Amino acid sequence: MAGEKKKRLMQGNEACAEGALYAGCRFYAGYPITPSTEVAEVLSARLPTVGGKFIQMEDEIASISATIGGSLAGLKSMTATSGPGFSLKQEGIGFACMAEVPCVIVNVMRGGPSTGYPTGPSQSDVMQAKWGTHGDHPVIAVTPAYVQEIFSETVRAFNLAEKYRTPVMVLYDEIVGHMREAITIPEAGELEVVDRAKPECPPEEYLPYDQRYEIPPLAPFGEGYRFHVTGLNHKDDGFPTNDPGMIEEGNKRLLRKIENNKEDIWCNEDYYLDDAEVLVFSFGSTARSARFAVRKAREKGIKAGLLRALTLWPFPDKALKDAASRARAVIVPEMNLGQIVEEVQRHVAGPAVEGIHRVDGEPITPAQIIEVIERYA
Amino acid sequence: MSAGAATAKKQKISVPFDYSKYLRAGKLPHIWCPGCGHGIVLKSLLRAIDKSGLEKDQICMVSGIGCSSRTPGYVDFNTLHTLHGRAVSYATGVKLAKPELKVIVVTGDGDALAIGGNHFIHTCRRNIDMTILVYSNAIYGMTGGQFSPTTPQGSMSTTSRYGNIEPSFDCCELAKASGASFVARGTAYHTQELERILLRSIQHKGTSVVEIIDSCPVYYGRQNKFKSASQMMEMIEKDGTVSVKQADRLPPEKVEGKLLRGILHEAERPEYCEEYQRLIDKVHGK
Ligand SMILES: Cc1ncc(C[n+]2csc(CCOP(=O)(O)OP(=O)(O)O)c2C)c(N)n1
Ligand code: SF4
C-alpha cells in the first residue's frame, strides 16, 4: 500500500550490507571472519544485481588494499571484518588516512586478544580503532546499537567518508551483528546520501591535496586527471616531500579536517539527560542495557540519564562535559577492561567516574548497571 | 629501388625516442644510484608503452615500496605508490572497479615475492588483467642490502654476513604455477629484447608477469665483490642468462645454471574482470 513502509526482519550484518548499498557502495573486498562474515555473504549476492563489484581476497591486508584501490578508481568502497582481521587492516587504514581515500571499514567486535572468543561479543577494539595504525591520524568511528541503526549509521559512515576523504569505521559488536530485528528500509531519498566532490578545474591545474580547500576534491583514476597517490608525506600535488614544514603542515591538516568539523560528525542520543544526576555514558549494544537500567532507575525515583554515543571517534567530549557538569557520577559500562572509561576520565572533572567492565563474552546486564546507579543515587 | 632510396635506407638515422612525453616535468632527478638497473628498465618500459598505443589516461601504474617502486612518481600516468608488498592488491581494486584501465604494477623482488608473496600468487591465480613487472636485483635495495627471496645461496648481504643459507625462488616458475597466463623474463642488459617482451606483456589479456633481472651495484654489487655496475650486468644479466630461443640449440653445459630469457609461458585462460562481467550479466538474465 502506498505510503506504508515495508518492515523487514533483518540481521544486523545484513542491515549493514543493505545500508552500504543504499549509500551507493559499489565495491567490496573482504575475507571471511566470524562474526562479520554475513556482510560479505550478502554483498556477494547483492552487489552484482546493482552492477557493483565483490571480491574475496586472500587475506584482510589484501582486502583493505583492494578497497582503497576501488575507491581511487571512483567507486564507493567498503570492507568488513572482526578481531584478528581488524588488526591486519591497520596498515591500510593508515594509508587511507594519509592518502585521504574515502572508504568504510566495518568491524564486528568479538572477544580478544588474538583469536580470543570468535562467537562472543566485545567492545574491546575501540582504542584500536583510534590508535591501531601507526602515526598521528584522524579517525571517525560510528557505533550503532540497533539493527535499524546499523543500516542508517552505515549510510552515515559512507557520507562522512566521502565528505571528509577519510576512512570511517563502523564498530558494532557480535550481539547486534547477529541479532534479528524488524527494520524499515528507507525509501530512496529519505536518508541523505553524500557523493565525494570531484574537481572542476582543468586537469593541468588539479592538485589532489590542494591546500586552498579543507577537503580537496578527489578525481577518480582514469578520467583525465593524472595524479600521484602515495602513503609518504606529500605536497599538495601528491608527490613526496622531505620538507619539515610541509610534513608538519600535512600531518596537522589531516587532524584539523576532522577536528574542525566535529559538530557535523558527532551524533548522540540523550535519554533523560536534562536533570540527570547519575549519568551513564555508553555506546553499542551495551547502551541497550544502559537505557533499560536508566528507565528502571527513573521508576525508582533516581535521576539517572543516558548519553549514548553514535559517533565514538572523534570523542563526544562536548556533550559529555555538558551532561557531566550536572551529574554526581558518570558510569561507563563497556565490554572491555576499561578503554572508554579512561577517555571519560580525561574529559570529566568533578563527578566520580566508574566503569563497569565485562570480558567473559556475555553482555553487561541492566541489573549490573542499576546496581551501580543505585550506589550513586 | 633507386640508388638514392638505398642510401637513405642504409643511412637511416634513428630518431631518438622522446622519453619526456611520458616523464613528469619537474620530478627528476630520480632517487636511483648511478649504475642502478631500474632506470634502464624504465626506458624499455616507456618505449614499449609507446608502441602499445595506449593513452596516458588509460594507464594506471601501481607500485609497492622499494627503490623500484618509486617508478610511478616519475611517469605521467594515473599513479599509485602503495605499501610494501601490497601493490598487486591495490591494483586489483583499481582494475576491478575500472576494468577499462590498463594496470601496470612495478614491484621489487622483495616487494613481490617476500612480503607480497601471498598477494602475488593469488593475483596470478585470478588471472586478473594486469602486467606485473618484478624488478629482480636479488637484494633489498631501499633498506640497504639485506638478502631477498631471489638472493642466490651463498651470496653476501647485510643480513647474510657469512653467505646466504636460504634457497631462492624462481619468480617465473612461481608465477606460472600460480596461474599467470603470460610469464616472461628479461634483463636490463638486453634492452631491445626487454622492450619487445614488455610490449607483449602489456598487450596480453590476463595476469602477465615479467621478471626483469637488473642490478643493485651499490648493495649487491659491493658486498659480492663486483668491480663495477657494468661488470655486474655482464656477469649476471648477459652471461648468467640465455635466450629461451637459443637454449634448445645449445649444448647442455652452456645452458646449465643460467636463467632463461624470453617468453616462458603463454596460455589462454578466462580473465577475472571478464568473468565478473559475465556474472553480472547472468544475474541480470542476459
Ligand atoms: C611493512 C614494511 N616492512 C618493511 C619495510 C621496509 N622496506 C622498505 S623497501 C624494502 C625492501 C625493498 O626491496 P625490493 O622490493 O627488492 O626493492 P628494491 O629496493 O631492491 O628495488 C623493505 C624491507 C616497509 N617499508 N614496510
Ligand atoms: S640501492 Fe640499489 S636498487 Fe636502490 S637505487 Fe641504489 S642501486 Fe638501485
Side-chain angles (χ1 to χ4, degrees), chain B residues 9-86:
Chain B
K9 199 172 179 194
K10 242 186 258 162
Q11 292 178 345
K12 195 172 125 195
I13 305 160
S14 61
V15 185
F17 183 80
D18 181 14
Y19 296 98
S20 67
K21 181 177 166 191
Y22 296 103
L23 294 172
R24 275 178 168 137
K27 299 304 165 199
L28 294 173
H30 54 68
I31 65 156
W32 300 315
C33 310
C36 177
H38 295 348
I40 307 172
V41 178
L42 176 59
K43 290 177 83 176
S44 292
L45 176 60
L46 293 182
R47 292 194 305 272
I49 287 174
D50 193 66
K51 289 222 170 88
S52 76
L54 288 164
E55 294 294 325
K56 292 196 276 187
D57 281 335
Q58 279 176 276
I59 299 175
C60 181
M61 189 181 277
V62 186
S63 69
I65 296 287
C67 298
S68 36
S69 290
R70 285 302 187 95
T71 303
Y74 309 125
V75 292
D76 190 17
F77 307 124
N78 304 281
T79 54
L80 175 54
H81 176 224
T82 71
L83 297 176
H84 197 24
R86 320 298 175 211

Side-chain angles (χ1 to χ4, degrees), chain A residues 109-192:
Chain A
M109 290 181 283
R110 66 188 228 181
S114 190
T115 309
Y117 187 29
T119 53
S122 99
Q123 294 176 315
S124 54
D125 302 345
V126 287
M127 277 296 167
Q128 189 191 18
K130 174 127 180 73
W131 293 121
T133 194
H134 57 282
D136 286 304
H137 56 275
V139 161
I140 299 179
V142 300
T143 46
Y146 303 89
V147 173
Q148 181 80 54
E149 221 172 61
I150 290 179
F151 185 100
S152 55
E153 284 301 287
T154 303
V155 176
R156 198 166 73 92
F158 271 99
N159 290 347
L160 293 170
E162 298 290 322
K163 188 167 174 186
Y164 294 110
R165 269 186 75 173
T166 192
V168 175
M169 291 172 234
V170 181
L171 301 177
Y172 53 88
D173 51 75
E174 186 274 342
I175 296 176
V176 257
H178 281 161
M179 181 183 285
R180 285 180 193 277
E181 288 182 309
I183 81 159
T184 311
I185 302 283
E187 306 280 338
E190 206 174 312
L191 296 184
E192 187 193 20

Side-chain angles (χ1 to χ4, degrees), chain B residues 13 33 46 56 99 105 115-116 118 142 172 186 193 197 202 222 227 229 248 250 263 269 272:
Chain B
I13 305 160
C33 310
L46 293 182
K56 292 196 276 187
V105 175
I115 190 164
N118 195 32
M142 178 141 274
C172 293
E193 179 192 76
I197 292 173
I202 290 167
R222 282 189 197 157
K227 291 200 184 73
D248 286 345
L250 290 170
I263 295 162
R269 281 186 61 216
Y272 186 86

Side-chain angles (χ1 to χ4, degrees), chain B residues 165-187:
Chain B
I165 60 167
E166 295 191 10
S168 58
F169 260 148
D170 182 325
C171 173
C172 293
E173 288 294 331
L174 183 66
K176 185 180 162 194
S178 306
S181 49
F182 180 99
V183 180
R185 187 184 282 119
T187 83

